[in-house]
Amino acid sequence: MALENGEQAVTSDAIDKLQAARERIMQQLGKVIVGQQDVVEELLISVFSRGHCMLEGVPGLAKTLMISTLARTLSLSFSRIQFTPDLMPADITGTEVIEEKPGGGLDRRFMEGPLFANVILADEINRTPPKTQAALLEAMQERQVTVGRVRHQLSDPFFVLATQNPIEQEGTYPLPEAQQDRFMFKVLVDYPNFDDEFEVAKRTTAKLDANVEPVLGAEEILQLQDLVRSVPVADHIIRYALAIIRQTRVGSEGVPEFVADQVGWGAGPRAVQFLILGGKARALLNGRTHVTVEDIQALCRPVLRHRMVVTFAAESDGITTDDVIDRLVQETPSSEDELTRDARFQKIFAS
């Protein structure tokens, strides 16, 4: 796969390779995971976009199993960190130890923690104190950890795939907005339908030995990540994504009345970056070399739901961030002519 420039990278052969990788990963995951196709697709989009992903759902929905199985399909190093209230930063980043030299004397050596792997499963990430969450934040953003005065680079590729339990909030430490913003997607894992749960019941109560085989290695993943960034995107698509994002910012010009009433805090610039990147990955996974409005619309929920805060009044009325996002998508014109002629969006683009 030639990747010297964007024109050369996005070829039919490159797209075929990405789609073939996706099919093989889905096939391997299907040996262990039943259903949850949308969740798996959003996980793959975040991986190929070089982003981190957070899965939220009640216990027993195979969130941890899904991530660990995905890691097995990738020929990468893997670490699982079970977050608990007594976990300290050094427990995940590593620490310096003093050793005795064979010939005498003492030597200082850095002992790497579990963060020094390609794929990190941060299990129940909201159950650890802010001090430890902050150590993970540097790793997610800078792909490095600082111990003492020394910075240690993490391996590449590097993904943090976290799980979070929406119930049993006693004794938990909700992630600060700055850390949530580092996650490309927040994916909600819902209950399976009847047929899927029927199959789960059959599989998990019988003797089965699922042999999951690795599909992609580190070098191949890095090539596919470069390929995603090489996908061209039209200016209209960027304007459309910005139109949705900028409507969430309460107090700005052109914000709809329902947003002013229901939203307390809107999304920042990372939202549009991840919308565009995710749209590029989704386009390639669907065999296209360009991003469409439908790609942006499909990813609005996972990109925005953790970057917006609804007001107390809206929450009391049962309105969720997903409800606000759906209405924004519905009321934002998708055609370039409508978008540029609308007086309200002219204010948004001029502000």
Side-chain angles (χ1 to χ4, degrees):
M1 185 189 306
L3 292 171
E4 287 78 15
N5 56 65
E7 294 295 327
Q8 193 175 3
V10 187
T11 63
S12 58
D13 289 342
I15 295 174
D16 290 344
K17 182 172 182 178
L18 181 60
Q19 288 187 298
R22 174 199 182 182
E23 292 303 319
R24 285 184 291 155
I25 291 173
M26 298 289 276
Q27 183 183 19
Q28 295 301 316
L29 286 173
K31 296 178 180 180
V32 178
I33 303 298
V34 178
Q36 305 289 4
Q37 297 297 314
D38 292 341
V39 175
V40 172
E41 180 173 350
E42 287 169 2
L43 269 175
L44 291 180
I45 289 173
S46 69
V47 167
F48 292 134
S49 302
R50 204 169 182 257
H52 309 293
C53 189
M54 176 165 50
L55 274 64
E56 182 174 286
V58 299
L61 297 182
K63 301 184 298 296
T64 300
L65 179 63
M66 190 181 303
I67 293 173
S68 60
T69 306
L70 175 62
R72 288 162 62 190
T73 69
L74 308 176
S75 187
L76 301 173
S77 56
F78 171 70
S79 287
R80 173 181 174 176
I81 307 173
Q82 185 66 52
F83 282 84
T84 56
D86 60 347
L87 199 69
M88 298 299 291
D91 296 330
I92 64 172
T93 62
T95 187
E96 290 186 339
V97 296
I98 297 177
E99 295 181 326
E100 186 174 354
K101 296 180 181 178
L106 299 177
D107 190 20
R108 188 187 297 269
R109 182 172 69 88
F110 177 68
M111 184 176 292
E112 295 180 348
L115 275 184
F116 286 82
N118 297 116
V119 182
I120 307 298
L121 167 54
D123 215 357
E124 304 223 48
I125 191 173
N126 59 330
R127 295 195 179 277
T128 200
K131 190 174 183 179
T132 307
Q133 291 175 352
L136 182 63
L137 179 62
E138 181 189 11
M140 292 172 63
Q141 181 63 25
E142 307 295 338
R143 284 176 164 77
Q144 68 178 25
V145 296
T146 303
V147 178
R149 295 184 178 181
V150 181
R151 295 192 182 103
H152 303 271
Q153 292 297 320
L154 296 170
S155 53
D156 200 16
F158 177 75
F159 312 109
V160 174
L161 305 176
T163 68
Q164 187 168 269
N165 187 346
I167 60 177
E168 298 180 325
Q169 293 301 308
E170 295 82 3
T172 62
Y173 304 85
L175 290 180
E177 284 71 16
Q179 184 155 8
Q180 291 193 53
D181 198 41
R182 263 66 175 189
F183 284 99
M184 178 177 185
F185 289 159
K186 180 178 181 180
V187 180
L188 300 186
V189 185
D190 204 353
Y191 292 107
N193 60 37
F194 179 85
D195 291 337
D196 287 344
E197 194 162 6
F198 184 89
E199 183 63 24
V200 168
K202 284 183 64 176
R203 287 194 191 185
T204 56
T205 56
K207 185 177 180 180
L208 291 174
D209 184 18
N211 183 27
V212 178
E213 300 174 358
V215 173
L216 293 175
E219 188 62 34
E220 291 174 298
I221 292 172
L222 291 174
Q223 287 182 345
L224 292 174
Q225 289 174 344
D226 287 341
L227 177 65
V228 166
R229 289 181 175 266
S230 300
V231 174
V233 55
D235 289 348
H236 164 58
I237 301 299
I238 298 177
R239 273 192 294 270
Y240 178 75
L242 279 168
I244 293 177
I245 301 302
R246 294 177 72 86
Q247 286 180 90
T248 68
R249 298 170 185 170
V250 180
S252 300
E253 288 284 338
V255 171
E257 186 176 342
F258 76 91
V259 170
D261 293 337
Q262 298 173 358
V263 176
W265 193 258
R270 280 197 188 93
V272 73
Q273 294 170 354
F274 285 139
L275 264 184
I276 299 300
L277 271 177
K280 290 184 175 189
R282 187 176 186 272
L284 285 181
L285 289 172
N286 284 278
R288 287 179 280 105
T289 58
H290 62 281
V291 184
T292 65
V293 167
E294 287 72 23
D295 292 320
I296 302 299
Q297 292 172 339
L299 299 179
C300 279
R301 277 189 173 192
V303 168
L304 289 175
R305 62 167 55 109
H306 58 300
R307 293 184 166 88
M308 295 168 55
V309 177
V310 296
T311 61
F312 177 77
E315 192 174 2
S316 301
D317 291 336
I319 296 172
T320 66
T321 53
D322 280 9
D323 296 327
V324 178
I325 294 165
D326 290 345
R327 188 169 174 184
L328 277 173
V329 170
Q330 183 180 3
E331 297 187 6
T332 302
S334 58
S335 74
E336 185 169 11
D337 288 342
E338 289 182 85
L339 198 60
T340 53
R341 286 202 308 262
D342 192 301
R344 184 166 65 84
F345 290 100
Q346 288 176 3
K347 292 180 181 179
I348 290 175
F349 295 146
S351 62

